Amino acid sequence: MSRYGACILDAEGLRLSAEEKALFAKAKPFGFILFARNIDTPDQIRALCAEMREAAGHNAPITIDQEGGRVQRLRAPLWREWLPALDHVQAAGEDAAEAMYLRSRLMAHELYDLGIDSNCAPLIDVASDETHPFLQNRCYGMDPAQVAAIGRAVADGHLDGGVLPVAKHIPGHGRAVVDSHLDLPVVKASREELDAVDFAPFKALNDLPMGMTAHLVYDAIDPRPATTSPAMMDIIRNQIGFDGLIMTDDISMKALKGSLADLSQASLQAGCDVILHCNGTLAERTEVAEAAGAMTEIAQHRAERALNARKTPQELDIAATEAKLEALINRRVNG
């Protein structure tokens, strides 16, 4: 079997252009990611997903950012609106893990119905009072054990719904005090602090099929961002013990400096398996695809293992699931 392209790419609009189809046929990207510009109606999304898979020549995973709050691509009136994750966790209190499982199961049901079989969640970064607002209310809490337990529930809700979870942002983004979309966060915490707090949820969930890197510098370990740091990738693989498929966070984010080709190659050389590229021109997507090339043998093995974790979900009683979720929240509010 030929190897997948070591990239995850996006599309400009509601359907693929002829040029995009040609690029995807040549690059054979491992997967795709959808954004709001790709979302119109259920039938349109299904058609776009089918076009993507046909162009890539395999049953490519199609992912999306559907966390809730401001980070959700499917929105009302056709789909559910969700609170930010931290708001939902706080509303559920001691029932947070169960509530987040039910929420994730409903999310997965919506995604799977559209042909989307991956979601960039759970977000298991440990928040603090200093965490930048772009991230803080997307987190599940400030206690590593609580974050891990809720993260597991979110992952299980997705897997039970036929959707692959992507653990992010490995090995931990919670100490970021600047927005990595715009700048490079530098974390000054000691290695001991990182092990005890930031890395702990990822170690607890190191069996998940896929993870996404953090564009952060961990000053105690390496002056390079984690995405391009062999030292950080060694910690992720051998000490955190994460052996799932690792994708970069968006390689075009301004936290990283350099050409897309150089950054893509540096990330792969550091130990990432696949390059995620979002919101670029056709020329930029072509640059990333060509720089990434085909997956390594070990990356292909991880990719196949992740794809084999996809399962057909059992039928879901929507009304009962919604009612149970509402009851958990109301019990906390009224109790």
Side-chain angles (χ1 to χ4, degrees):
M1 175 180 163
S2 62
R3 293 179 188 168
Y4 307 130
C7 55
I8 296 172
L9 302 177
D10 61 346
E12 290 184 6
L14 302 177
R15 299 294 290 267
L16 296 186
S17 67
E19 293 79 10
E20 287 173 327
K21 289 180 180 179
L23 170 61
F24 299 157
K26 181 179 180 181
K28 296 180 172 56
F30 167 69
F32 298 93
I33 185 166
L34 302 182
F35 291 92
R37 65 180 179 274
N38 308 124
I39 305 299
D40 185 19
T41 68
D43 284 344
Q44 169 269 319
I45 297 170
R46 295 182 192 111
L48 177 59
C49 291
E51 281 187 333
M52 288 174 158
R53 292 182 171 117
E54 182 180 6
H58 70 104
N59 188 17
I62 297 176
T63 196
I64 196 168
D65 282 303
Q66 189 72 0
E67 295 176 14
R70 69 184 180 280
V71 183
Q72 56 181 341
R73 312 305 181 201
L74 304 177
R75 309 208 75 115
L78 294 178
W79 298 282
R80 294 177 182 84
E81 290 283 340
W82 296 102
L83 289 171
L86 187 58
D87 292 1
H88 214 148
V89 166
Q90 291 171 341
E94 64 184 18
D95 298 314
E98 184 178 3
M100 291 296 283
Y101 170 85
L102 296 171
R103 163 182 162 130
S104 299
R105 185 65 181 84
L106 289 166
M107 279 186 178
H109 181 82
E110 288 189 330
L111 297 176
Y112 189 84
D113 176 65
L114 299 170
I116 302 168
D117 57 2
S118 173
N119 190 16
C120 295
L123 191 148
I124 49 176
D125 304 316
V126 180
S128 73
D129 290 335
E130 289 75 41
T131 301
H132 192 279
F134 99 93
L135 186 72
Q136 190 177 64
N137 72 353
R138 298 162 58 193
C139 298
Y140 305 153
M142 299 185 182
D143 175 71
Q146 177 193 13
V147 170
I150 295 171
R152 175 67 67 185
V154 170
D156 287 347
H158 282 87
L159 286 165
D160 289 349
V163 173
L164 293 174
V166 179
K168 63 183 186 186
H169 304 84
I170 195 166
H173 209 306
R175 293 183 191 268
V177 296
V178 300
D179 183 349
S180 56
H181 293 88
L182 306 173
D183 212 341
L184 177 63
V186 177
V187 171
K188 298 291 187 180
S190 69
R191 175 62 194 275
E192 291 73 24
E193 290 174 297
L194 294 170
D195 282 336
V197 178
D198 305 68
F199 299 171
F202 292 95
K203 190 168 187 177
L205 275 69
N206 64 12
D207 58 325
L208 293 187
M210 295 194 290
M212 177 188 290
T213 64
H215 292 332
L216 270 73
V217 166
Y218 301 86
D219 202 43
I221 299 167
D222 193 333
R224 290 168 289 188
T227 301
T228 58
S229 166
M232 279 306 320
M233 293 304 298
D234 180 70
I235 288 171
I236 289 169
R237 293 299 193 193
N238 297 315
Q239 296 180 39
I240 292 174
F242 190 89
D243 194 37
L245 184 85
I246 292 183
M247 66 182 73
T248 69
D249 203 346
D250 178 11
I251 204 70
S252 67
M253 286 165 61
K254 291 181 172 54
L256 303 180
K257 305 301 181 187
S259 72
L260 291 172
D262 288 346
L263 290 170
S264 298
Q265 291 172 351
S267 300
L268 295 172
Q269 289 165 5
C272 295
D273 296 308
V274 64
I275 307 301
L276 173 66
H277 180 257
C278 311
N279 304 312
T281 64
L282 184 70
E284 288 169 333
R285 283 177 280 165
T286 301
E287 180 182 355
V288 168
E290 290 178 348
M295 281 185 166
T296 64
E297 185 174 347
I298 191 168
Q300 181 83 9
H301 174 72
R302 292 184 183 121
E304 294 293 346
R305 195 170 60 209
L307 296 181
N308 288 336
R310 294 184 293 194
K311 60 185 179 183
T312 302
Q314 295 183 351
E315 188 172 342
L316 182 69
D317 186 330
I318 299 294
T321 305
E322 290 177 330
K324 189 172 183 180
L325 177 57
E326 185 177 355
L328 290 176
I329 301 299
N330 288 341
R331 183 167 68 192
R332 166 77 170 177
V333 171
N334 297 327

